[in-house]
Amino acid sequence: MAYYYNEVSRTFSEYLLIPNLTRRDCVPNNIRLTTPLIKFKKGERSPLVLNVPFVSAMMQAVSNDTLAISLAKCGGVSFIYCSQSIIEQVEMIKRVKKFKAGFVVSDANLTSEHTLRDVLKLKEKIGYSTIAITEDGSPQKKLMGLVTTRDYRISRDHLGKKVKEFMTPFSKLIVGKEGISLSEANDIIWEHKLNCLPIIDNNQNLMYLVFRKDYDEHKKNPNELLDSGKRFVVGAGINTRDYAERVPELVKAGVDVLCVDSSDGFSEWQKDTIEYVKEKYSDKVKVGGGNVVDKEGFMYLVEAGADFVKVGIGGGSICITREQKGIGRGQASAVIEVAKARDEYYEKTGIYVPLCSDGGIVHDYHAVLALAMGANFIMMGRYFARFDESPAKKVKIGNNYVKEYWGEGSNRARNWQRYDMGEDGKLHFEEGVESYVPYAGRLQDNLAASLSKIKSTMCSCGANSIKELQRTARITLVSSTSIIEGGAHDVILKENNY
């Protein structure tokens, strides 16, 4: 006989938070939004912690390298989509890892016998202008000099001019020695008004480059999420079909964390994928699983070795899985049940498995509800698709700018691997739609506004951290009429014409 859940499947919009006492220390500047991304043992700290509880969805319209860089600057993580070739996904990961670092291994090198033409060609390819000149043109060989845009003038120097004729030679460079700290390197940069400081070993071999712009960026973005090498943290989606070919290349590229991209994670294919990653690469990369909506699904993925579990089926703004297949659950109900299972597992084993709430976020306060109900961080697609940094095209419709937004289960994305049923490789019907979202500008500006609302809500709840919020939050169900009462009503709104 079928099993029946007697409780109604509920969404975030059916709940409100009841205020707790706002203490004097409960002010926005004191709110800590750090949260664990991957599992850890009782008494220990998670090896990977987010500075803000947001990650971007593994979608073609959302998570490319540009958005990954912007979100990492703000303290979150992007999971770069896997519905593209392995080579393309790997290149995106590499661009994120190379964009900012304390000590950068130079991958843009020439010899002194190359020409200005070679310099311009390489500059166009890599997108930045500082080029190390080494003995044989390979990284970490004897440093002969540096070339920047200050060393040549395209209007006067002929393209065949040899690099040795215009480079800044080693004898005129200020350099640091291997073993120097990042703080000491930055002091040298400021003292000598440099843009770049080469770091060499005792044999004059180039080891690293340290850039002034990295220091400036860090000061502007104190919440930056960096790895042990001071590079941005970045995630990647993987699927249950080509993981044996895709994962090794992503690991080589330096990816920090993986997530199996699937609409329904309660499957043997996902178990196989997670077990492969844990067996082959557990010391190099972590992997999350999902999506699930109940205790059984959560336990299945945890026992397979998942480092975090993603919760939610059918709640995304462009997702029509519930409509097409009748599969899913209200996001609030799903998070509540899975969080309870997670806490029981923690009490039993001493292992804490973070939860990612994926879908169902309409308003910023829904994020606070998801966190209060037990989620550790939130994955969003529509929210991030609106910004300049997303890969989707910006178009004008009427008098308004919008950005294109499409689901991975739409005919446009054709990400059949996400909906893999273990047979032929094709999408038999759509589980996502194509749409537009209102264009919203820069990620950093919008995220700052959202975080401000979230911190204000947490202050009203008397919680200075996500952990405290989960321990002390009081949550109430609301009626449809109380939802209407919560907005502007029984008034004639003014139109602002200024």
Side-chain angles (χ1 to χ4, degrees), residues 16-35:
L16 287 174
L17 291 149
I18 300 292
N20 277 327
L21 174 67
T22 303
R23 305 182 304 273
R24 286 188 181 87
D25 68 323
C26 220
V27 294
N29 282 343
N30 288 344
I31 301 294
R32 298 181 305 281
L33 293 176
T34 55
T35 188

Side-chain angles (χ1 to χ4, degrees), residues 390-460:
S390 80
K393 187 187 297 183
K394 183 172 80 170
V395 296
K396 190 173 185 180
I397 297 180
N399 293 320
N400 299 310
Y401 282 102
V402 296
K403 292 205 80 173
E404 295 179 331
Y405 181 46
W406 60 96
E408 290 296 290
S410 67
N411 277 326
R412 178 170 181 174
R414 300 213 61 80
N415 183 5
W416 63 268
Q417 294 95 334
R418 189 174 196 272
Y419 306 90
D420 189 12
M421 290 287 105
E423 294 177 346
D424 56 331
K426 61 182 178 179
L427 198 68
H428 291 275
F429 56 89
E430 290 185 284
E431 291 190 46
V433 299
E434 290 189 55
S435 63
Y436 298 107
V437 288
Y439 167 66
R442 293 173 68 239
L443 181 151
Q444 195 168 27
D445 297 336
N446 285 274
L447 186 58
S450 294
L451 293 175
S452 179
K453 290 183 198 175
I454 288 167
K455 288 180 178 181
S456 180
T457 303
M458 288 175 65
C459 288
S460 293

Side-chain angles (χ1 to χ4, degrees), residues 75-101:
V77 167
S78 284
F79 284 86
I80 291 178
Y81 65 95
C82 59
S83 52
Q84 59 181 322
S85 74
I86 295 172
I87 292 173
E88 290 172 324
Q89 189 183 25
V90 163
E91 285 303 311
M92 286 189 182
I93 296 292
K94 286 181 178 178
R95 286 197 287 272
V96 177
K97 299 307 284 188
K98 290 173 185 173
F99 182 82
K100 162 132 178 13

